[in-house]
Amino acid sequence: MAIANSGDNTITILLPNDGGTFRPGSTISLPGVFPTQVVAGDFNGDGKMDLAVLNTCGMGAGGCFPQAAPQGPGTVTILLGDGDGTFTVSPAMLTTGNVPYSMAAADLNGDGFIDLVVANQHDNNLTILMGNGDGTLTPTSTSPITGNAPSAIAHHI
């Protein structure tokens, strides 16, 4: 289980025990600011679960919660799973629109690689990041328009 901790810019990993209980795993420090969502998927095709973390305040330039509203674009951090409950932070920082608040992982174009779609509240659009199958993602040139202040997104595979 992975939990986004917005207050200290970390992800907490809890490992399963028998009977539906959990024990502490690792805590991962993020390069981004104010993580609000985590989605799981095998982004590099190695059969091990990876994580994508949505950082609503991006790199924190211009301030962030709780002192100020986010001012710049958000970011996505990819954590590559090592298969034992530990993760390696990918050096690539993926940029989203302003004030991203929701993200979904799915194979959007049917190529067999996991992609990401991010709802950007301030920009009223989506950021589409296409998976390359090696743990990296490439932004598309289109940003589909949404309604006012999109705050959740789901994709049916």
Side-chain angles (χ1 to χ4, degrees), residues 54 76 96 100 102-103 116-120 125-129 153:
L54 183 59
V76 173
T96 69
S102 184
M103 175 174 59
L116 294 172
V117 57
V118 177
N120 303 303
N125 69 5
L126 304 175
T127 297
I128 310 289
L129 301 167
I153 192 166

Side-chain angles (χ1 to χ4, degrees), residues 71-131:
Q71 300 298 312
T75 59
V76 173
T77 302
I78 301 297
L79 306 175
L80 299 174
D82 297 326
D84 60 0
T86 61
F87 294 84
T88 302
V89 178
S90 172
M93 187 63 65
L94 303 162
T95 303
T96 69
N98 288 321
V99 192
Y101 239 86
S102 184
M103 175 174 59
D107 181 1
L108 299 174
N109 60 354
D111 65 359
F113 304 137
I114 302 294
D115 310 308
L116 294 172
V117 57
V118 177
N120 303 303
Q121 271 195 343
H122 189 264
D123 291 340
N124 300 323
N125 69 5
L126 304 175
T127 297
I128 310 289
L129 301 167
M130 304 306 292

Side-chain angles (χ1 to χ4, degrees), residues 5-137:
N5 305 303
S6 298
D8 65 2
N9 306 319
T10 63
I11 297 294
T12 298
I13 304 297
L14 299 178
L15 303 172
N17 293 319
D18 291 333
T21 62
F22 295 87
R23 65 185 185 279
S26 59
T27 298
I28 305 161
S29 294
L30 297 170
V33 177
F34 207 75
T36 53
Q37 188 173 7
V38 180
V39 296
D42 184 3
F43 295 104
N44 61 357
D46 65 357
K48 300 170 187 168
M49 198 54 57
D50 306 312
L51 301 172
V53 181
L54 183 59
N55 305 296
T56 295
C57 297
M59 299 307 294
C64 191
F65 299 128
Q67 294 84 13
Q71 300 298 312
T75 59
V76 173
T77 302
I78 301 297
L79 306 175
L80 299 174
D82 297 326
D84 60 0
T86 61
F87 294 84
T88 302
V89 178
S90 172
M93 187 63 65
L94 303 162
T95 303
T96 69
N98 288 321
V99 192
Y101 239 86
S102 184
M103 175 174 59
D107 181 1
L108 299 174
N109 60 354
D111 65 359
F113 304 137
I114 302 294
D115 310 308
L116 294 172
V117 57
V118 177
N120 303 303
Q121 271 195 343
H122 189 264
D123 291 340
N124 300 323
N125 69 5
L126 304 175
T127 297
I128 310 289
L129 301 167
M130 304 306 292
N132 298 315
D134 60 0
T136 64
L137 294 103

